[in-house]
Structures are given as C-alpha cells and as structure tokens.
Amino acid sequence: MLTAQMVTPLFINNAGPWGLLLIAIVVLVLFGRGKIAGLMGEVGKGITAFKKGVKDGTEELEDRREADAGTATNAGTNAGTGAGTGTGTGTATGTGETARDVTPTPRERDQS
C-alpha cells in the first residue's frame, strides 16, 4: 500500500538552505527576473485587495450592529409614547417606531 511518505520525493525531505537556493536559481533561470517580479507584484496586489475587502466587510458589520442597536434603543424609548389622551372611543396608536430594513440596495452602495 502506498503512503504519503513513499510518494513524496526524497529530495524534498532533505531540502536544506542549499537545496532551496538551487531551486530558486532554477526557477529564476526558467522564468526570468521580469516574470517573477511581475508575479510577485500581482501577489502583492491580491493581498492588498484581500485586506481591503476584509476591512470593508468588518466596517459594514460594525455599521449594521450600530444601526441595529440604534433602532432597538429608539423602539425602547418610544414604546410608551402616543398614548391616547382624548375622550373618544378609539384605541391609542403610535406605540413606537417599527423596525425597518436599513440594508442599502446595490444601487445605493455603488453611489457611495
């Protein structure tokens, strides 16, 4: 039966600093300095875009939590307002604000 150790080439297990340097030189010769520099630039741009996306997502979640906390606070403070003081037979309305969805539409997100 084959195991992972049998499939792994032997030189990878014994690759020290000199082996890694040899591999780097072979890659440099095969692809050239310009291609490798361009590739590393693209990797850097990808990492930057990923970090920006994570930051934007975190800010969006925090904004939603603040908005949710704000609507919960407003609903709690307005719960007792609007009680009927008239002498009519109707019922009191306006017992507070109703929660609404504050998620921006894609069009609203693109405008900001």
Side-chain angles (χ1 to χ4, degrees):
M1 174 158 255
L2 292 176
T3 63
Q5 193 173 29
M6 295 163 104
V7 176
T8 305
L10 295 176
F11 72 90
I12 292 179
N13 290 335
N14 298 325
W18 291 109
L20 294 176
L21 181 66
L22 179 64
I23 291 171
I25 290 172
V26 169
V27 168
L28 184 63
V29 168
L30 288 176
F31 294 107
R33 196 181 97 202
K35 279 239 190 223
I36 294 174
L39 179 64
M40 290 300 116
E42 293 297 320
V43 169
K45 287 178 186 177
I47 291 171
T48 303
F50 177 77
K51 286 181 180 180
K52 183 179 184 279
V54 169
K55 180 182 173 192
D56 291 346
T58 303
E59 289 174 356
E60 184 178 334
L61 286 174
E62 289 174 0
D63 291 344
R64 283 188 183 176
R65 285 185 188 138
E66 289 173 4
D68 289 345
T71 56
T73 302
N74 288 342
T77 54
N78 293 333
T81 61
T85 57
T87 57
T89 58
T91 59
T93 59
T95 58
E97 296 180 9
T98 58
R100 64 181 183 89
D101 188 12
V102 294
T103 306
T105 63
R107 182 177 293 160
E108 292 172 339
R109 276 185 262 151
D110 291 340
Q111 290 176 352
S112 60

